[in-house]
Amino acid sequence: MSVERRAAIEVFALANLGEPLFLNSWRTVRGVLGSAVLAARMGPLDAARILVPLNVESGAYKEIDELWGLVGEWEDDSGRRGEYLTRIREFLIAD
């Protein structure tokens, strides 16, 4: 999916669902992706990159910011990537 298309979908979701429903939907998708990670059908970094929204301002949602931070740290700190990958995985499979 192109970046532009994904961004348009997110703008539409926020505009039409509102913030509470958007966050509930995000948590549902997080659960589905977490199950895929747990079953080893998807890597944690790939799942996290799907979940990091393009059009949500930093600071808008604590959970999204936490995941965004973990992905950013993974990208910036090549010496500790294994640690961040484990933390991303734990975040995705947490209830």
Side-chain angles (χ1 to χ4, degrees):
M1 179 180 308
S2 74
V3 172
E4 294 83 12
R5 183 172 180 194
R6 182 173 166 202
I9 290 169
E10 289 168 8
V11 167
F12 178 83
L14 280 170
N16 291 288
L17 295 176
E19 290 185 15
L21 289 176
F22 169 77
L23 190 54
N24 286 339
S25 299
W26 186 86
R27 288 179 181 146
T28 299
V29 173
R30 173 186 169 188
V32 170
L33 291 172
S35 295
V37 168
L38 194 58
R41 293 188 310 263
M42 176 179 263
L45 190 61
D46 293 332
R49 285 184 171 150
I50 290 170
L51 275 172
V52 174
L54 300 173
N55 285 322
V56 175
E57 292 182 29
S58 181
Y61 305 102
K62 182 182 173 193
E63 292 171 80
I64 295 173
D65 283 348
E66 182 179 348
L67 182 59
W68 207 336
L70 289 171
V71 171
E73 291 294 331
W74 182 90
E75 290 171 348
D76 294 341
D77 190 352
S78 62
R80 296 175 55 198
R81 282 190 170 165
E83 175 188 336
Y84 289 114
L85 199 58
T86 299
R87 289 176 58 195
I88 290 168
R89 183 182 188 280
E90 290 169 356
F91 178 89
L92 292 170
I93 64 175
D95 290 330

